Amino acid sequence: MQITIDLPDNLAITEPDLRREVAIALFQQKILLIEQAAQVIAMDVDDFYQILVDRGILTPPTDPDDDPNELILAHLRISLQQAEAGDLKPISELWDGLDD
């Protein structure tokens, strides 16, 4: 979907900033899931999560070693979509990069 919005020329906001604010607002209103909102602004879901934490919209887990539930669910949904689309990786590649 493409939407066109006419804004005043003297507005001190860039298009990427506006897209980010719209994505955040749609996530807060539960219109978009976290991974969908991140996709709107072409951002990794983990980076978008951090923006939400920095703004106090989401609260990180009390134990820093725990993964946030929002990210676990987002990554599971992304993986499911990839599997349904046939974007599968060989088992031999599952552990690549873990030692980095």
Side-chain angles (χ1 to χ4, degrees):
M1 173 191 316
Q2 185 171 351
I3 298 171
T4 303
I5 301 173
D6 292 323
L7 299 172
D9 291 333
N10 61 351
L11 191 61
I13 190 167
T14 64
E15 181 181 341
D17 291 340
L18 181 61
R19 291 175 70 88
R20 184 185 63 241
E21 297 307 316
V22 168
I24 290 169
L26 293 174
F27 171 77
Q28 284 182 291
Q29 295 173 34
K30 300 187 185 320
I31 295 171
L32 293 179
L33 297 170
I34 191 169
E35 67 272 17
Q36 293 169 321
Q39 185 180 23
V40 166
I41 55 176
M43 180 179 279
D44 181 74
V45 70
D46 296 291
D47 295 334
F48 186 70
Y49 171 81
Q50 191 58 51
I51 289 173
L52 299 173
V53 167
D54 292 345
R55 291 199 180 187
I57 297 167
L58 292 178
T59 306
T62 53
D63 184 344
D65 291 331
D66 287 346
D67 288 331
N69 290 342
E70 294 89 351
L71 285 181
I72 293 170
L73 291 172
H75 287 291
L76 286 171
R77 287 188 295 259
I78 291 168
S79 296
L80 180 59
Q81 289 173 349
Q82 291 171 338
E84 288 174 344
D87 183 13
L88 306 173
K89 304 216 182 323
I91 290 228
S92 61
E93 293 180 14
L94 287 177
W95 307 111
D96 288 353
L98 285 180
D99 295 331
D100 296 343

